[in-house]
């Protein structure tokens, strides 16, 4: 029978002809659209139809009722399916059985539910027995249907069925389901129905159309179950997509030894190698492959045992790969020798495979370089640079924090930086440093550790920023854990983890796991380099790095950084030789004493700059003047005060007074940034002198140096002017003394909202802007990055915010200030160089925003440079597309 | 001789005809312009000329050199003056002597310097002797000239001359200057010249034209002396005005007993009473009146002794008052019976006089009501509401802090709130509470004290806000003092002030004084009420108050508040009965326990609202939901933790853990504002319930209640939506239960920069905006109000900022956000009600900005309501003028 005209809500597919197409994913879901396309390609697909996402949305609009006409359309389509399949829905002689599956535009694995074998009842099961001559198969199909339907549609707990099944196996003295005889399964059917009646207070529906209606409702409703909502929230999928429902004739891979079922990838999803990768089971249903009760066989075995099926599978796979121009994830079933495709979709792949496949497809002429670039998730690039947890490993997640710096790390728990260094250096062990929060004094311990875990702090906390800078796995703000540093243990949900025990961190997901988990080392392949080369050709944004040491500079340069966008000079103030001098400077009673201490710091700073300038030869280096409040350099505890006072040769009372005097209620909004250099211009003088003496010395040696001096935390043009005055004077004097000229510029961070609002006054004097989006985000939202952990989880859970604004740039609010500043700044200085050096400079969606906002470059931690190069390319390509 | 055409830089005045006019103050300075005008009015003024401010500005432009042509013009004008006066400059027979005075557009008392008797030399003094027959007079004039010239022009320290004069008096055995014989004065002339030579390494110039040139240079230069710069900075006077120089023929009030000199006011400058007020000295020069060596006689005495002069003076005064339409400050001299006016200007007056005179002048038909309103400084209104320091009192200023709440206070120093209460209640004493900083727990002590002094904090710190709310004198951020609360003393510059010692505070200037200074009580006159009535008729802006108690509401209503713009509910969380319940709520282990504690709080909050709503019957009351972070309600010290843990019946460790868990690095940017009610919606529920139960109860009693519920710290529309959902639900439920309808609105603070940037999304749901400019200023600048003291003094001194942005609204930065928010908010909600409830709502220049930005109302502390009413009227009138 001919199908007739397509209805409003249902699209059919059968016998080489489908109402839908692959590009109708929004309407038919990924699954439905691809089934339609495969049908059109004359690939054998069991006939069926798809109810559109529009029907689902109307269902919600009208208070969970079906839209007008859907009922009638469904009836017509069931009839059509009966005709096409030559079976009858509820026909006890030749029953039509169908699967009902959800399918949204975006693949949401595990989030939606499936029902198989719908159409079975006490009457139709007899037909199945007669047709197959296999009562065991038929009753097994029936009890599975009741179980799935009971669980998904009627909300009966899975466990109840499992217990009955287990009891039955005990009763029959068997271990595995397949060993249960037909009679036992028949009994189970009765018992399962009783379970349904007991739990759901309804009789199990016997009428197939009623079964189908309830199943469709269940799929619609599952769009808004908690798991689905959470998944969408986590993956940024709009709630307004809705799901489609595909109803498809059942085929059975478990009809005997000429039946089989399996899954496959047209290329290796782990490595990207161009060879078929698949698994299958003989005489089994799809779910058996997934459930892992029997061990599936590798595709190579099929080549021997079912060579025709194998050839068919590979040729279908290649055809689909060519058609869809991407690696395909396939589901297939062979029913008594007849081959059917049940699903095809773009295959999920590892980062390594994503890059390899993209490059190979370009070589094979299937896709362009631009398409290849757009296909790779920038975050996948990040994975390639860090160790990852072996996908085969079993892990025990004990807590979840914020994923602050990607990769995985394994080590013994230590609670102090000192112990971290000791354990690693003296005993050669691997450690994870666990702290309430970290401070600059922990840096040596952080460097020694494999990874860092903190209970406090957000994505721009000290631990997070330093961790990323070091390319080191880091999980922060793990509120679940209570850390007792002094007592050398932490606790989470009643579990106490003591010093020396192994834990594993996943810095990409924020998972904290107990035990020593095997890791996979990163691999940088030729394809990786190829992709980044293409990216460089495609992007307009420059990519620099945030780096404070010659080592950072070298690493980043190897990763392709085109300069340093943020060199934080305060990181040079720590270190055993320097800290006492810095403290001497801070407790100085007057300017003269302060100058004396600063003079001792000068040679250190100068050497730092020489190292960095040399490593970045020929590339610009943006040096930020001292930023943190001075109290960060002072001791906190009474014991430390006693010790440091002795070192400094002053009384404890005097040091306590200084600590007290410098204490701040809100240090983030306190005496820091350019405010330091305005109250103590001699600090700016020393730093400028160190910069320009280093630059002059290297210039004399023939090293090309391009210093850009950056004034932090400017909010008023006069603040910038005051700082620039000192910098320019020292530059002039130093160059005159050295008898050499160094080209340099002086610019400012834009990190205080006011700076953006009056940018046209600041740009009168400032030669470049660099957005410090960490602080800008803090002040625009009024969110302390160190305290956000108290409410951010609720905000994300309740959907107040879609993402952590310290991770992804808030384009509406902070972004508005960025646009204002760029526009105002360039209104008075047309070619004002504008960059970003906040942590957002390495986050793909933020990079895309920076591209659109007309920035000149982004700057990010060394290990994010490759990510940024790709993201910048994608931003340019997306713009081109429009 | 005719004067001829007026030159480029010099304007003459003589014999009823002047080149200048009163409205040329910018060019001729206040003094020069008024001398010209008096001349034009045929009031006897010694002839002279004024060198313009333009000449001064050109002098600076060309590196302290005279502009072309000035030299020649000066020569011509001196010649003209010689002709007019019939005397010769340097003529030993009949010498022309002149005074040289500075005069800027804006009166800068004490900032610029004056030279009298210029033209005297060893030669010309002989002529003066011959003409007057009075060698004592002549040598006295001469030695005064050398002294002034030496000091002002040649930079010789005043002290050197004083010492020589004192020695001379000792030598002659006299106590008073006038008792020195002519010979002694003649000797002094020689000695003074020797002093000049010794100190300035130059001979005292003998040639009058050279004297004049040097004097003019000195006046020009004095425009940029340190005192002048500081004064201008403090008073917001532009540096680009420049000063004029007036050169005027000398007249002598010290030529004998028919000569006299004096000053007067056409009305009493202290009370504004319409009676002449003046003092004079017979046979004296102007400076003698000021110097206070002889006690001047009151004008009433002149009426008896010199009735003609008296009548002349009064009639001139009345004429000038009519002409200038304001109270006049006069300087006059009678030289041997001839009456001369030396200066007239608008008289400085007390706040009381300003108001009285303005109202009287309107009654007399001299000025309009609008002019009257524009003449009164709104800050003067403030003075009328508070005690002030007796102007006659001698004070010893020992430190200076930020003037946080106006008025003066005297009391014994105490260091804890507890002692403040004890001393006042039990012993009936007056105390000043001195603290490092205050916290909500100090409120009882603050209420008991006469005034508050803190070492920390800015103009919106806790002490400042609460102080202003109570109308209580308060000086904050007094960095000079070191407070040792435990040891019961504070120290400033080596001086130790112990508990129980008297100090005096001036909250209008920030002065801290040692000892018990007499105060003057405030007086609210009929004129005061009249002015405010006129103001109400003229203003467009509404004026509300910030008030947290029924008492605040009553006070403010009496001062004319038209509603409450900010009722801070957290102030209701303190108090002996409530704090334990609040703490119980905070340490609650789960929502149920939290609800239980909140239920106990509900009746308290409800009673608070009943009181406030009743006091504000018929007027809107904006209630802000809980704002501060919860840790503010917890104890800090180990002792307090022990005590509170016992009260709460939980372990010390548990409470310590809670305190630790709630600790924040930057509480200002932490878990506060609407973030509390999103994480703990039950808090919003309780507060909404208290508001609406109170409102319903009163409505039933026939009391008209207009609650406006305000959500604080909103930065994202979804935050507001989440809060509004709860408020609306509770309102609905409560009204349904009470069977009464209360009209209410729900709106938001705009205090986070992001809120202003996305205001169009927030105004979709918010029915009103209220700018919380304290927080908005903090976040826009990135300035913590509690920590700004570390750099603000330098910022003001160096001119980075012109004023404290927490005192005067930053119109460029914060103002830009306000304008953006108003525009965006009203783009989606045309009649969006917009107000301001930050501390700026009571500051005149900020109020003017609010008027221009189109706000509907300002809200300020009760004692600032009258100020705001006047400032709002002035804003409207200024706009009308344009």
């Amino acid at each position: 029978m001919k199908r007739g005209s397509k209805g409003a809500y249902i699209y059919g597919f059968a016998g080489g002809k489908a109402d839908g197409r692959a590009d109708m994913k929004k309407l038919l879901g990924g699954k439905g659209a691809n089934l339609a396309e495969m049908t059109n390609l004359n690939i054998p697909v069991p006939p069926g139809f798809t109810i559109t996402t529009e029907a689902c949305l109307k269902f919600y609009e009208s208070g969970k009722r079906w839209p007008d006409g859907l009922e009638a359309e469904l009836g017509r389509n069931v009839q059509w399916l009966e005709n096409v399949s030559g079976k009858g829905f509820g026909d006890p002689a030749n029953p039509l059985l169908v699967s009902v599956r959800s399918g949204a535009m975006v693949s949401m694995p595990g989030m939606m539910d499936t029902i198989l074998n719908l159409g079975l009842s006490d009457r139709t099961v007899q037909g199945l027995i007669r047709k197959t001559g296999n009562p065991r198969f038929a009753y097994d199909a029936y009890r599975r249907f009741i179980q799935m339907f009971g669980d998904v549609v009627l909300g009966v707990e899975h466990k109840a069925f499992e217990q009955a099944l287990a009891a039955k196996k005990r009763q029959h003295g068997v271990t595995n389901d397949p060993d249960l005889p037909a009679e036992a399964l028949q009994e189970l059917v009765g018992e399962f129905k009783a379970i349904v009646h007991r739990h759901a207070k309804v009789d199990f529906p016997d009428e197939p159309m009623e079964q189908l209606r309830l199943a469709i409702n269940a799929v619609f409703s599952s769009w808004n179950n908690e798991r689905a909502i959470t998944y969408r929230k986590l993956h940024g999928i709009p709630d307004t997509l809705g799901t489609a429902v595909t109803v498809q004739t059942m085929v059975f891979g478990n009809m005997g030894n000429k039946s089989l079922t399996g899954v496959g990838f047209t290329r290796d999803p782990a490595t990207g190698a161009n060879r078929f990768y698949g698994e299958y089971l003989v005489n089994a249903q799809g779910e058996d492959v997934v459930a892992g009760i029997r061990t599936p066989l590798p595709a190579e075995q099929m080549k021997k045992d079912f060579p025709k099926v194998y050839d068919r599978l590979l040729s279908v796979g290649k055809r689909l790969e060519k058609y869809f121009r991407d690696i395909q994830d396939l589901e297939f079933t062979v029913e008594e020798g007849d081959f059917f495709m049940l699903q095809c979709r773009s295959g999920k792949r590892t980062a390594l495979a994503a890059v390899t496949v993209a490059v190979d497809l370009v070589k094979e002429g299937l896709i362009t370089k631009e398409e290849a670039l757009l296909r790779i998730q920038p975050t996948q690039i990040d994975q390639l640079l860090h160790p990852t947890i072996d996908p085969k490993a079993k892990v025990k997640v004990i807590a979840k924090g914020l994923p602050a710096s990607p990769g995985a790390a394994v080590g013994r728990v230590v609670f102090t930086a000192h112990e971290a260094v000791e354990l690693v250096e003296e005993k050669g062990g691997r450690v994870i440093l666990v702290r309430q929060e970290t401070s600059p004094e922990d840096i040596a311990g952080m460097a020694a550790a494999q990874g860092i875990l903190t209970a406090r702090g957000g994505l721009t906390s000290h631990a997070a920023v330093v961790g990323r800078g070091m390319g080191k796995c880091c999980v922060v703000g793990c509120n679940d854990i209570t850390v007792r540093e002094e007592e050398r243990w932490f606790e989470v949900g009643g579990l106490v983890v003591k010093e020396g025990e192994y834990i594993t961190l996943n810095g990409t997901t924020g998972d904290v796991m107990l035990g020593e988990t095997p890791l996979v080392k990163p691999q940088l392949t030729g394809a990786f380099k190829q992709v980044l080369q293409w990216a460089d050709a495609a992007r307009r944004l420059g990519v620099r790095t945030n780096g404070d040491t010659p080592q950072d500079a070298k690493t980043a340069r190897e990763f392709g950084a085109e300069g340093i966008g943020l060199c934080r000079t305060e990181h040079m103030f720590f270190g055993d030789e320097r800290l006492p001098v810095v403290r001497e400077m801070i407790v100085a009673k007057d300017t003269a004493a302060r100058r004396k201490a600063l003079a001792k710091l000068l040679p250190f700073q100068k050497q730092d700059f020489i190292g960095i300038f040399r490593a970045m030869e020929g590339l610009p280096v943006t040096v930020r003047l001292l930023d943190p409040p001075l109290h960060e350099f002072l001791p906190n505890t009474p014991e430390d005060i006693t010790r440091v006072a002795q070192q400094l040769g002053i009384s404890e009372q005097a040091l306590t007074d200084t600590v007290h005097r410098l204490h701040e209620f809100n240090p983030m909004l306190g005496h820091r940034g350019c405010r330091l250099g305005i109250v103590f211009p001699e600090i700016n003088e020393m730093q400028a002198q160190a910069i320009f003496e280093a630059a002059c010395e290297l210039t004399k040696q023939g090293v090309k140096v391009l210093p850009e001096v950056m004034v932090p935390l400017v909010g008023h043009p006069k603040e910038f002017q005051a700082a620039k005055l000192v910098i320019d004077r020292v530059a002039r004097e130093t160059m005159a003394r050295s008898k050499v000229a160094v080209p340099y510029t002086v610019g400012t961070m834009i990190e205080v909202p006011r700076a953006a609002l009056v940018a046209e006054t600041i740009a009168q004097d400032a030669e470049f802007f660099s957005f410090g989006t960490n602080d800008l985000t803090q002040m625009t939202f009024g969110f302390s990055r160190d305290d956000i952990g108290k409410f951010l989880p609720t905000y994300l859970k309740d959907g107040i915010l879609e993402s952590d604004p310290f991770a992804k740039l808030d384009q509406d609010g902070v972004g508005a200030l960025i646009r204002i500043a760029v526009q105002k700044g360039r209104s008075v200085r047309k070619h004002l160089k504008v960059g970003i050096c906040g942590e957002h400079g390495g986050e793909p969606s933020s990079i895309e925003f920076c591209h659109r906002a007309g920035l000149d470059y982004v700057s990010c931690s060394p290990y994010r440079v490759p990510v940024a190069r790709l993201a910048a390319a994608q931003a340019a390509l997306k713009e081109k597309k429009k």
Side-chain angles (χ1 to χ4, degrees), chain A:
Chain A
M1 175 199 155
K2 276 230 155 185
R3 180 169 142 65
S5 65
K6 181 181 66 63
Y9 296 115
I10 300 186
Y11 286 61
F13 50 90
K17 206 157 162 31
D19 297 333
R21 290 188 316 270
D23 61 3
M24 290 182 175
K25 288 197 169 60
K26 184 156 188 208
L27 195 64
L28 305 179
K31 198 173 293 168
N34 278 3
L35 285 171
E37 195 68 53
M38 284 196 286
T39 303
N40 286 331
L41 288 170
N42 250 318
I43 290 168
V45 166
F49 55 82
T50 301
I51 306 171
T52 63
T53 55
E54 264 177 36
C56 172
L57 296 175
K58 293 230 164 148
F59 171 80
Y60 280 108
E61 274 168 28
S62 46
K64 295 206 168 194
R65 250 177 295 167
W66 285 18
D68 290 344
L70 180 57
E71 178 72 41
E73 215 181 319
L74 180 67
R76 280 199 304 278
N77 274 279
V78 168
Q79 242 175 40
W80 167 77
L81 200 56
E82 289 177 328
N83 287 328
V84 166
S85 63
K87 298 176 181 176
F89 211 35
D91 181 349
N94 187 18
L96 169 64
L97 303 187
V98 298
S99 64
V100 179
R101 286 187 171 97
S102 68
M105 183 170 89
V106 184
S107 168
M108 291 168 62
M111 291 299 112
M112 311 294 290
D113 300 295
T114 297
I115 297 159
L116 299 178
N117 309 337
L118 188 140
L120 278 174
S121 67
D122 289 351
R123 289 174 65 222
T124 55
V125 74
Q126 299 307 328
L128 194 59
I129 294 171
R130 270 192 299 278
K131 272 213 69 183
T132 58
N134 190 342
R136 206 214 146 274
F137 159 76
Y139 282 113
D140 191 47
Y142 195 13
R143 71 93 193 167
R144 282 174 196 250
F145 168 53
I146 299 171
Q147 186 170 353
M148 278 187 271
F149 193 95
D151 174 15
V152 175
V153 179
L154 301 173
V156 179
E157 262 190 83
H158 208 68
K159 210 171 57 185
F161 300 112
E162 298 290 354
Q163 282 166 349
L165 178 61
K168 189 62 67 185
K169 284 195 279 188
R170 273 198 306 280
Q171 182 191 332
H172 286 263
V174 303
T175 333
N176 298 323
D177 299 4
D179 299 333
L180 278 175
E183 305 74 49
L185 292 164
Q186 189 176 0
E187 285 162 26
L188 262 185
V189 164
E191 287 165 28
F192 276 18
K193 284 189 166 186
I195 289 172
V196 166
H197 189 87
R198 199 161 58 246
H199 285 80
K201 317 280 177 217
V202 291
D203 286 332
F204 191 84
D206 255 353
E207 211 283 301
M209 274 309 286
E210 193 191 344
Q211 291 173 354
L212 183 56
R213 270 183 228 107
L214 289 170
I216 291 168
N217 271 343
V219 172
F220 281 168
S221 300
S222 76
W223 174 253
N224 274 341
N225 74 28
E226 209 173 305
R227 280 191 309 168
I229 292 172
T230 308
Y231 184 91
R232 288 201 294 275
K233 190 161 288 167
L234 285 173
H235 293 78
I237 300 168
D239 288 335
T240 53
L241 288 180
T243 181
V245 187
T246 292
V247 177
Q248 193 177 17
T249 314
M250 285 297 301
V251 288
F252 296 96
N254 53 349
M255 269 205 187
N257 289 334
K258 284 165 69 188
S259 299
L260 53 91
T261 192
V263 296
F265 285 83
T266 53
R267 301 183 189 220
D268 187 327
T271 65
N274 189 0
R275 61 154 190 266
F276 191 86
Y277 174 92
E279 304 178 318
Y280 73 104
L281 278 174
V282 177
N283 194 14
Q285 261 193 329
E287 55 175 342
D288 301 326
V289 182
V290 181
I293 297 165
R294 287 157 62 191
T295 306
L297 305 166
E300 287 70 32
Q301 186 66 37
M302 195 199 291
K303 199 173 175 182
K304 290 178 201 155
D305 297 347
F306 301 90
K308 276 189 190 161
V309 172
Y310 181 77
D311 287 348
R312 186 75 192 269
L313 180 60
L314 258 67
S315 81
V316 164
K318 272 297 146 199
R319 206 167 143 215
L320 289 170
E321 197 183 86
K322 266 207 165 136
Y323 187 79
F324 288 110
R325 306 185 308 138
D326 199 4
I327 177 173
Q328 293 297 303
D329 172 353
L330 311 170
E331 281 182 31
F332 63 94
T333 284
V334 177
E335 187 185 88
E336 302 202 306
D338 291 336
F339 179 90
F340 294 97
M341 283 295 299
L342 296 185
Q343 179 161 313
C344 78
R345 58 183 173 187
S346 278
K348 295 231 174 234
R349 63 209 84 174
T350 62
L352 177 62
V355 170
T356 308
V357 169
V359 171
D360 284 351
L361 291 181
V362 173
K363 284 189 194 151
E364 293 164 28
L366 280 180
I367 59 174
T368 63
K369 287 176 195 173
E370 301 193 344
E371 284 171 310
L373 287 171
L374 286 168
R375 282 216 187 146
I376 303 164
Q377 297 281 345
T379 44
Q380 289 186 310
I381 287 287
D382 212 7
Q383 284 174 37
L384 289 182
L385 307 174
H386 303 283
T388 46
I389 289 173
D390 188 335
K392 292 188 283 286
K394 291 221 166 153
V395 296
K396 186 183 171 187
V397 176
I398 55 170
K400 208 169 166 65
L402 299 172
S405 179
V410 177
R412 293 177 189 276
V413 169
V414 294
F415 293 92
T416 68
H418 179 70
E419 284 164 90
V421 173
E422 204 171 66
L423 238 126
V424 173
E425 288 187 358
E426 295 179 14
K427 301 182 185 158
R430 292 184 299 172
V431 303
I432 303 286
L433 179 61
V434 181
R435 301 278 297 166
Q436 191 68 18
E437 64 260 346
T438 63
S439 75
E441 296 202 60
D442 294 326
I443 285 190
M446 297 170 77
Q450 296 289 313
I452 302 127
L453 168 64
T454 70
R456 291 283 193 83
L459 286 178
T460 54
S461 64
H462 179 266
V465 172
V466 173
R468 277 196 294 276
M470 293 176 172
K472 184 150 297 194
C473 170
C474 180
V475 174
V476 300
C478 187
N479 282 316
D480 304 342
I481 69 171
T482 307
V483 178
R484 292 250 200 262
E485 287 160 7
E486 322 74 42
E487 297 162 35
R488 304 283 193 262
W489 52 265
F490 73 84
E491 179 268 325
V492 53
L495 175 78
V496 171
V497 179
K498 291 187 196 143
E499 185 174 77
E501 288 190 55
Y502 270 104
I503 62 169
T504 302
L505 301 181
N506 185 340
T508 312
T509 62
D511 285 344
V512 180
M513 289 149 281
L514 203 61
E516 197 178 357
T517 313
L519 302 185
V520 180
K521 280 193 183 165
Q523 299 180 39
L524 293 188
T525 62
F528 172 83
K529 282 167 199 155
Q530 179 66 76
V531 163
L532 290 177
Q533 266 181 20
W534 291 340
D536 290 346
R539 67 188 160 91
R540 186 184 71 210
L541 274 175
V543 176
R544 297 196 189 182
T545 194
N546 298 350
D548 312 335
T549 64
Q551 184 52 49
D552 285 350
K554 273 182 212 130
T555 307
R557 201 163 185 171
E558 280 161 20
F559 281 142
E562 298 158 325
I564 286 185
L566 175 63
C567 172
R568 303 178 195 86
T569 51
E570 58 270 21
H571 287 196
M572 307 170 183
F573 276 43
F574 292 94
D576 292 345
E577 288 175 303
R578 304 164 181 209
L579 199 50
V581 186
V582 172
R583 286 168 171 165
E584 186 186 323
M585 186 266 288
I586 295 169
V587 303
K589 281 218 171 343
D590 52 31
T591 310
R594 207 157 30 242
R595 278 188 192 284
K596 213 176 123 197
L598 285 165
K600 291 190 214 166
L601 267 179
L602 177 66
F604 290 116
Q605 284 250 301
K606 185 176 158 184
Q607 280 314 310
D608 293 325
F609 292 130
I610 286 180
I612 290 172
F613 288 152
R614 199 190 289 277
M616 276 287 159
E617 176 171 7
L619 295 174
V621 174
T622 308
V623 180
R624 180 179 71 182
L625 300 181
L626 190 67
D627 184 54
L630 296 181
H631 53 72
E632 280 200 9
F633 301 96
L634 291 186
N636 281 316
T637 62
E639 304 82 58
D640 284 346
I641 288 178
T642 308
R643 184 173 51 78
V644 172
Q646 270 176 356
Q647 279 176 3
L648 292 173
I650 61 176
S651 75
E652 266 178 60
Q653 185 61 54
L655 186 55
T656 306
D657 282 352
T658 303
V659 169
H660 193 58
R661 186 166 47 76
L662 290 184
H663 168 260
E664 292 184 315
F665 297 97
N666 297 285
M668 211 51 94
L669 308 176
H671 191 194
R672 50 174 289 235
C674 68
R675 300 161 198 173
L676 290 170
I678 285 171
V679 175
F680 307 117
E682 51 277 13
I683 297 180
N684 282 357
E685 274 173 28
M686 182 281 283
Q687 293 205 291
Q689 199 177 334
I691 293 167
F692 289 106
E693 285 188 4
C696 288
E697 205 166 302
L698 288 175
T699 303
K700 275 186 178 171
Q701 296 170 23
V703 178
K704 194 174 174 201
V705 182
L706 297 165
E708 302 178 333
V709 184
M710 183 156 74
V711 184
L713 217 72
V714 164
H716 195 290
K718 289 199 183 161
E719 291 178 313
F720 181 74
Q721 288 158 15
K724 186 166 191 287
L725 214 64
V726 172
I727 297 161
D728 282 341
R729 176 174 54 73
V730 174
R732 214 164 41 236
E733 289 167 1
T734 310
M735 291 188 216
R737 230 178 10 252
S738 313
K739 300 194 175 55
V740 67
V742 177
Y744 73 98
T745 52
V746 186
T748 181
M749 299 275 279
I750 301 286
E751 51 186 339
V752 167
R754 194 179 192 281
L757 294 163
V758 302
E760 78 282 12
T761 63
I762 296 173
Q764 299 276 5
D765 300 283
E767 291 163 293
F768 62 86
F769 281 179
S770 178
F771 289 101
T773 47
N774 300 352
D775 269 300
L776 196 58
T777 299
Q778 290 199 94
M779 295 179 202
T780 304
F781 272 95
F783 284 173
S784 159
R785 66 184 195 189
D786 295 317
D787 303 308
I788 194 176
K790 299 207 172 55
F791 53 92
L792 185 64
T794 306
Y795 269 45
L796 294 175
K797 183 172 69 62
D798 291 358
I800 305 274
L801 289 178
E802 283 176 11
S803 56
D804 180 343
F806 291 105
K808 281 195 182 190
L809 186 77
D810 160 46
Q811 300 186 11
D812 293 339
V814 179
L817 283 177
I818 290 178
R819 287 189 186 278
I820 288 171
V822 171
Q823 184 268 318
K824 289 195 165 195
R826 292 207 174 129
S827 75
V828 299
R829 189 181 286 267
K830 201 176 163 194
H831 298 292
L832 181 74
K833 182 152 61 165
V834 182
I836 178 175
C837 61
E839 289 295 315
H840 302 95
E843 192 281 321
S845 73
S846 312
I847 292 171
E848 190 183 331
F849 173 83
C850 292
H851 174 92
R852 283 187 276 117
L855 266 59
D856 294 301
Y857 68 87
V858 298
S859 186
C860 53
S861 51
Y863 282 82
R864 281 203 173 175
V865 167
V867 179
R869 287 161 72 192
L870 178 59
Q874 293 188 344
L877 292 173
K878 283 182 195 169
E879 190 184 55
K880 217 168 130 188
K881 263 184 161 178
K882 285 181 190 159

